[in-house]
Amino acid sequence: MNKTVNQKAWFLVLPVLILVAFSAVIPLMTVVNYSVQDTFGQNEFFWAGLIWFEDMLASDRMWDALGRQLMFSGIILAIQAPLGIFVALNMPKSGIWSSVCLVLMSLPLLIPWNVVGTIWQIFGRADIGLLGYTLDALGINYNYTQDTLDAWVTLIVMDVWHWTSLVALLAFAGLKSIPDAYYQAAKIDQASRWKVFRYIELPKMTGVLTIAILLRFMDSFKIYTEPFVVTGGGPGNSTTLLSIDLVKMALGQFDLGPAAAFSIMYFLVILLVSWVFYTVMTNLDKQEG
Amino acid sequence: MAKITLDNLAHSYLPNPASEADFALKELNHDWEDGAAYALLGSSGCGKSTLLNIISGLLQPSQGRILFDGEDVTHAPTTERNIAQVFQFPVVYDTMTVQDNLAFPLRNRGRDEGYVAQRVQDIAHMIGMEGVLRRKAQGLTADAKQKISLGRGMVREDVNALLFDEPLTVIDPHMKWELRTQLKTLHRDFGHTMIYVTHDQTEALTFADKVVVMYDGRVVQIGTPEELFERPEHTFVGYFIGSPGMNVIPAQVQGNRAVVNGSDIPLGQAYRPPEGKVEIGVRPEYARLSQTEGLPVQVRRVEDVGRHKIIRADFFGQDINIIAGEDDHVSADMNRVTFDADHVNVYANDWRVQGEAA
Amino acid sequence: MTDMTASKVSSRPRGLLRINSRLVVMTLYLVFLMLPIYWLLNMSFKTNSEILSTFSLWPRDLTFANYVTILTDPAWYTGYINSIIYVTMNTVISLAVALPAAYAFSRYHFMGDKHLFFWLLTNRMAPPAVFALPFFQLYSSVGLFDTHIAVALAHTLFNVPLAVWILEGFMRGVPREIDETAYIDGYGFGRFFVKIFMPLIASGIGVAAFFCFMFSWVELLLSRTLTSVDAKPIAATMTRTVGASGVDWGVLAAAGVLTILPGALVIYFVRNFIAKGFALGRV
């Protein structure tokens, strides 16, 4: 569409601007404020320069959390992307079963995140949970509160359970938009199933897939509730991901300075990935239009 | 190249068809000659795409057989039938170059690269796309993509028939003419059996040796464009072909005269009294407006189309059209019309009745 | 006229194998998804003693007691009511401000429009953890702590950009000629927007509403941080139960099941739009 230049459009955007500014800018200013100040307590602050940032960059705590986070996000992406595509390729495209699949697959996406955590917390227990009980009966030593590996596996499986449907649904939407004529032509050209996937299905899914992967990366990067409910960040701090660590610092220990510096860094990473996302999205839109 | 035979072929999309109305394609017995160019003409929903898809193997007929050179291929998959199909909108593999697109069918069948390169070169030359072989197929125009589709269909030397399903629908009007000409040239040079589905009579009449007209799932007439024009076997053919189409007037027929509202119209042949709904059909080109001779008619409107004039008139309460030459004089006091007896056809229940020499 | 179904028939021998592998994959996946939920359901119909003493795949002594507890105990059911209140408020507010903004983005160029859009996007991506403490202080300072409106407003942080994004996508599909025709016909902007434009993007509004509902309903961190008693959401009620000794598993499970219900209902009603919304790739 041809957009005309019209500065009066700002009036239409004003409500959004005010609301989001209130929600975002003001708190962010607070955070920036705290990040460069220190306190004697009793709400008295003084300028502290960049010491919080220096501390943070030097501290193991931050780098460990970041490392864990990157590993977590990396692993779940490596599982969710191919699995999502695979499921999308197998979903029925029409008929009653298509609706059934869509509804059932969307269900995990709409469960409050703490309930997701609760479900898996229960599921994994040896005394009352199906998974825990079964593993125990098979003789496998499984305890997600005490064993680091078990905790990680549980969190990863939980996240895969929770979010794969999103990737699958997005990929499915891309697949569904492929006209039948392409499949018919491929038949006539005697293309193998793999070639059909590579030359017809994958190119058409690339757009939605990129968005799905970026979204999943960003959302997994800020995950808090689900792992917190299941492991609380433990055992020890082996599953303390970035958000969990930050909340511990800010609301738990009330270490405002370090928490603020941490927040800024966190936010910068998000900003970077957002920028990538935005660029990809506008390029895709340009291609389609 | 192959001769295609349809044997008792019919198709219904419903699992248990009860009556004829349930069949999208009614029973068909027909031979498509080897090397001929056919047009499959009809309005939307008449079954032409169904028939095309049965021929190509994308659809299994619910009844009857289809034979290629005498061999029953009814249950053979598309890949074994060696046909090529060009669809309504261009199907190209966007991520591949033009060259790879053309080579795709050959590579899938495991031909060696030397042979593939040669064929791709030949075909590219044929469709005039040698210069863009290295370009990615994605950014090309619609007509270029359709040419690639066409090329991909022809790159296999053993192709039995080329099927086209309304291929020029998305092409710009000025490119349509060029592509049509190219198709005709290809047919002349290589002699493939070609079946071209369209709802556009101009496309059909200019492309084909023989036109197959379909209506309501049935083949109503097969003939050269001339035969379709002069002797439409079905009122639909008369109405669909020609612009404007044939005038169809209810009448009673006795011997070599037709009676409309008590007035006599001479016929070129004699007819036994037909049964059912009786009508006569005469094309506007064979009707003449005059001042003195003929039956009463009331002129309502004259449209000057440039090359000729179309006169809309009222004939005993029926709307009819008359075509007059560009320079013919038309005036308000011309209120009589004659029909050229040799070109008046008689129809009973929409089907043409054959007469005897008068 | 599609031949997809027919093509399955034409390659019969291979086709049979194909259908089977699809069926297997989908069945396995759906079972994987439904099993934990089923387990929760299972537990919700058992008494605490049964849960802790025996292990069974279905309730031996089916009981509705857990649900009765939730539906009659104000400590529990107010949680649901609170959640529904702020989620609805949030959806309404988000849509109300997003509609004109999306319209502006879809039809006009204006100074800084690309930067504004990008900035909105970053808010969608913002980690709630970063905002937990600042929000706590902000809303406390304006006296809105522990109110529904606080949570509703807090959630607009990520829901408004999402709504703008989705709506803009749908609005782009409506040609400008419609706007111009309306103006020629004498419609003022307000009347045009409500009577003509909105019905055209009805499915877009539906999709945006669905996602606003979804993301606000599931979010825990901010909704718990900003509330204590009056506006406590069900999520908070549930998490405060866990950790205490002698956890009432049955009631907890029932509470969990009840939180899934609104989601399931909403999905069912918008199932036809889900595909379209996802197709825009804007979730």
Side-chain angles (χ1 to χ4, degrees):
Chain A
M1 172 170 346
N2 293 325
K3 298 193 200 176
T4 52
V5 180
N6 186 346
Q7 304 301 340
K8 284 202 280 199
W10 268 100
F11 286 114
L12 293 172
V13 180
L14 219 47
V16 162
L17 193 58
I18 296 175
L19 194 57
V20 182
F22 175 73
S23 288
V25 171
I26 298 179
L28 222 45
M29 276 170 24
T30 324
V31 171
V32 171
N33 225 4
Y34 282 136
S35 70
V36 291
Q37 290 182 332
D38 200 350
T39 174
F40 287 128
Q42 250 74 342
N43 248 345
E44 273 178 36
F45 292 92
F46 62 90
W47 175 261
L50 294 171
I51 71 162
W52 295 126
F53 290 99
E54 288 163 7
D55 274 357
M56 177 186 76
L57 289 173
S59 85
D60 282 336
R61 177 176 184 174
M62 193 279 285
W63 291 110
D64 284 345
L66 184 60
R68 277 178 231 125
Q69 181 69 64
L70 285 172
M71 186 158 81
F72 179 74
S73 296
I75 296 178
I76 57 121
L77 264 182
I79 299 178
Q80 285 176 11
L83 184 59
I85 298 177
F86 183 62
V87 170
L89 288 173
N90 281 290
M91 281 169 69
K93 285 193 184 159
S94 58
I96 180 90
W97 287 113
S98 186
S99 296
V100 170
C101 279
L102 281 176
V103 170
L104 289 182
M105 281 174 61
S106 309
L107 214 47
L109 296 174
L110 270 120
I111 304 181
W113 295 342
N114 70 301
V115 179
V116 172
T118 307
I119 288 178
W120 280 90
Q121 184 191 28
I122 296 176
F123 206 59
R125 284 172 66 120
D127 52 352
I128 55 174
L130 185 61
L131 181 67
Y133 186 84
T134 317
L135 287 178
D136 200 43
L138 289 173
I140 302 175
N141 226 342
Y142 170 72
N143 188 324
Y144 62 77
T145 45
Q146 284 166 355
D147 182 272
T148 304
L149 183 63
D150 290 344
W152 270 86
V153 168
T154 311
L155 289 188
I156 289 174
V157 173
M158 175 178 70
D159 198 84
V160 167
W161 177 86
H162 191 188
W163 290 107
T164 305
S165 291
L166 184 66
V167 181
L169 285 170
L170 280 171
F172 180 69
L175 264 185
K176 220 175 159 186
S177 68
I178 300 177
D180 276 336
Y182 276 86
Y183 289 103
Q184 291 168 343
K187 257 196 170 176
I188 293 174
D189 287 342
Q190 271 189 306
S192 64
R193 181 78 188 91
W194 164 251
K195 284 198 181 172
V196 169
F197 174 70
R198 185 157 168 342
Y199 292 115
I200 299 179
E201 291 173 325
L202 199 56
K204 285 287 190 285
M205 287 200 290
T206 310
V208 278
L209 267 183
T210 315
I211 292 188
I213 291 177
L214 280 169
L215 270 174
R216 279 311 305 138
F217 177 76
M218 310 215 34
D219 283 350
S220 75
F221 215 70
K222 40 182 181 119
I223 197 174
Y224 173 76
T225 315
E226 303 95 304
F228 185 71
V229 170
V230 178
T231 63
N237 59 1
S238 56
T239 59
T240 302
L241 303 173
L242 274 178
S243 277
I244 297 179
D245 207 21
L246 178 55
V247 173
K248 231 190 250 180
M249 255 193 267
L251 293 176
Q253 298 162 288
F254 265 90
D255 272 342
L256 301 177
F262 202 93
S263 300
I264 305 268
M265 177 226 60
Y266 203 168
F267 209 73
L268 282 175
V269 175
I270 299 280
L271 215 70
L272 178 65
V273 185
S274 291
W275 181 81
V276 171
F277 187 86
Y278 180 71
T279 317
V280 168
M281 195 181 75
T282 41
N283 276 339
L284 283 173
D285 281 346
K286 250 186 245 151
Q287 257 177 36
E288 271 168 44
Chain B
M1 326 304 176
K3 175 170 125 165
I4 304 173
T5 308
L6 307 176
D7 181 20
N8 260 351
L9 196 70
H11 185 74
S12 172
Y13 285 105
L14 304 170
N16 291 310
S19 68
E20 219 180 48
D22 292 335
F23 279 86
L25 203 59
K26 290 151 179 106
E27 196 170 296
L28 203 49
N29 284 294
H30 177 50
D31 286 344
W32 306 80
E33 277 154 37
D34 189 358
Y38 290 91
L40 204 49
L41 178 65
S43 46
S44 304
C46 68
K48 47 193 203 297
S49 287
T50 309
L51 181 56
L52 200 73
N53 284 332
I54 290 179
I55 296 177
S56 67
L58 292 169
L59 187 60
Q60 291 266 303
S62 58
Q63 175 193 320
R65 303 185 308 154
I66 176 168
L67 310 156
F68 278 26
D69 270 342
E71 205 184 298
D72 189 339
V73 296
T74 318
H75 296 293
T78 311
T79 46
E80 282 174 30
R81 300 193 195 192
N82 279 333
I83 50 101
Q85 189 160 344
V86 179
F87 296 89
Q88 198 163 348
F89 72 95
V91 173
V92 288
Y93 303 106
D94 286 322
T95 50
M96 296 197 247
T97 60
V98 175
Q99 184 162 26
D100 288 333
N101 258 282
L102 293 174
F104 195 60
L106 293 177
R107 289 196 181 130
N108 287 335
R109 285 171 174 81
R111 304 302 299 261
D112 65 276
E113 280 304 310
Y115 174 76
V116 172
Q118 182 59 47
R119 279 303 290 170
V120 169
Q121 201 51 45
D122 290 343
I123 296 290
H125 176 72
M126 217 161 58
I127 56 176
M129 297 194 81
E130 283 150 308
V132 291
L133 275 176
R134 295 236 161 259
R135 276 189 53 185
K136 273 233 154 104
Q138 194 173 31
L140 298 173
T141 56
D143 52 277
K145 286 188 181 179
Q146 279 296 48
K147 282 201 244 181
I148 297 177
S149 285
L150 176 64
R152 217 173 54 235
M154 296 186 63
V155 75
R156 288 151 35 213
E157 276 177 306
D158 58 350
V159 64
N160 276 328
L162 295 174
L163 308 178
F164 300 89
D165 195 347
E166 308 201 39
L168 301 184
T169 311
V170 294
I171 310 292
D172 288 337
H174 65 275
M175 287 305 298
K176 278 199 217 221
W177 184 85
E178 199 186 291
L179 274 177
R180 266 215 304 272
T181 321
Q182 244 175 350
L183 284 176
K184 240 348 244 148
T185 317
L186 279 171
H187 180 247
R188 203 188 52 216
D189 290 345
F190 292 96
H192 291 107
T193 313
M194 286 189 180
I195 304 178
Y196 188 104
V197 168
T198 178
H199 60 269
D200 182 323
Q201 51 165 315
T202 321
E203 270 180 31
L205 297 174
T206 50
F207 172 78
D209 302 329
K210 285 238 176 115
V211 179
V212 178
V213 183
M214 288 189 69
Y215 175 66
D216 195 28
R218 210 189 291 274
V219 171
V220 287
Q221 184 165 5
I222 303 175
T224 61
E226 227 181 82
E227 286 164 16
L228 260 53
F229 190 79
E230 296 287 335
R231 292 259 172 260
E233 290 292 327
H234 191 277
T235 50
F236 173 75
V237 179
Y239 150 75
F240 198 73
I241 301 204
S243 181
M246 188 171 74
N247 296 307
V248 176
I249 306 162
Q252 290 150 326
V253 171
Q254 295 154 355
N256 61 350
R257 314 201 79 72
V259 181
V260 177
N261 253 68
S263 305
D264 271 1
I265 297 172
L267 300 171
Q269 293 185 310
Y271 297 86
R272 265 174 262 180
E275 288 179 356
K277 179 176 77 168
V278 180
E279 293 160 314
I280 53 169
V282 60
R283 288 205 175 273
E285 289 83 352
Y286 297 114
R288 211 160 52 81
L289 199 63
S290 87
Q291 221 163 350
T292 48
E293 37 170 345
L295 297 160
V297 75
Q298 200 170 21
V299 172
R300 281 192 285 111
R301 208 164 67 240
V302 178
E303 290 167 10
D304 191 332
V305 204
R307 282 177 288 124
H308 51 254
K309 297 187 182 127
I310 301 178
I311 301 158
R312 313 264 179 209
D314 185 304
F315 181 68
F316 292 125
Q318 268 300 107
D319 287 333
I320 63 165
N321 300 312
I322 305 165
I323 289 189
E326 200 184 331
D327 299 318
D328 283 357
H329 171 69
V330 178
S331 64
D333 53 354
M334 295 167 92
N335 56 358
R336 297 204 161 259
V337 65
T338 51
F339 302 123
D340 184 344
D342 284 329
H343 289 100
V344 178
N345 298 310
V346 176
Y347 295 92
N349 291 333
D350 290 323
W351 289 95
R352 195 171 77 84
V353 178
Q354 182 65 32
E356 295 129 30
Chain C
M1 202 194 307
T2 171
D3 299 299
M4 222 30 216
T5 43
S7 60
K8 273 197 203 133
V9 175
S10 67
S11 48
R12 214 180 289 265
R14 265 175 62 228
L16 213 55
L17 214 62
R18 204 79 244 276
I19 296 174
N20 268 342
S21 77
R22 270 191 182 211
L23 192 64
V24 168
V25 169
M26 285 317 292
T27 312
L28 281 177
Y29 184 63
L30 289 177
V31 166
F32 169 60
L33 290 185
M34 294 298 110
L35 206 55
I37 297 180
Y38 168 74
W39 193 248
L40 195 71
L41 202 63
N42 180 20
M43 268 180 60
S44 71
F45 287 116
K46 296 181 180 176
T47 59
N48 240 359
S49 47
E50 188 189 335
I51 294 173
L52 292 171
S53 58
T54 58
F55 185 87
S56 56
L57 291 176
W58 63 91
R60 295 282 154 80
D61 277 320
L62 188 80
T63 171
F64 290 100
N66 298 318
Y67 289 99
V68 170
T69 311
I70 295 181
L71 293 173
T72 53
D73 181 356
W76 280 104
Y77 67 68
T78 46
Y80 288 106
I81 298 177
N82 288 333
S83 290
I84 299 213
I85 292 180
Y86 72 67
V87 169
T88 314
M89 281 172 121
N90 172 273
T91 306
V92 168
I93 297 175
S94 300
L95 284 179
V97 300
L99 275 167
Y103 182 79
F105 280 117
S106 76
R107 258 88 173 125
Y108 301 115
H109 276 310
F110 46 93
M111 196 168 60
D113 55 358
K114 288 205 187 51
H115 298 98
L116 185 62
F117 203 75
F118 175 65
W119 177 68
L120 281 180
L121 196 66
T122 59
N123 288 311
R124 158 70 179 82
M125 310 298 180
V130 167
F131 289 87
L133 180 60
F135 273 174
F136 179 70
Q137 296 186 326
L138 176 64
Y139 286 102
S140 303
S141 66
V142 295
L144 283 177
F145 179 72
D146 204 18
T147 58
H148 300 100
I149 187 75
V151 184
L153 284 178
H155 284 174
T156 60
L157 172 69
F158 43 80
N159 268 349
V160 163
L162 184 64
V164 170
W165 195 19
I166 294 178
L167 287 170
E168 196 264 340
F170 277 92
M171 287 183 182
R172 250 200 268 170
V174 179
R176 279 200 88 152
E177 284 72 26
I178 299 201
D179 308 17
E180 285 155 17
T181 312
Y183 297 142
I184 294 176
D185 285 346
Y187 281 84
F189 179 71
R191 213 155 71 94
F192 150 72
F193 200 81
V194 175
K195 289 197 114 93
I196 299 181
F197 198 64
M198 277 173 65
L200 284 174
I201 50 160
S203 56
I205 298 181
V207 171
F210 168 72
F211 283 118
C212 283
F213 173 89
M214 172 177 149
F215 281 115
S216 183
W217 178 252
V218 300
E219 204 278 332
L220 170 85
L221 178 55
L222 293 179
S223 58
R224 195 180 64 172
T225 311
L226 292 173
T227 60
S228 65
V229 180
D230 291 339
K232 192 160 76 171
I234 182 60
T237 318
M238 286 178 69
T239 49
R240 278 180 197 148
T241 319
V242 178
S245 56
V247 175
D248 199 342
W249 294 110
V251 176
L252 188 66
V257 171
L258 286 179
T259 60
I260 303 181
L261 274 185
L265 272 171
V266 172
I267 302 176
Y268 180 72
F269 281 123
V270 301
R271 66 189 182 283
N272 294 321
F273 297 127
I274 291 181
K276 188 159 188 197
F278 279 112
L280 283 186
R282 279 162 146 73
V283 183

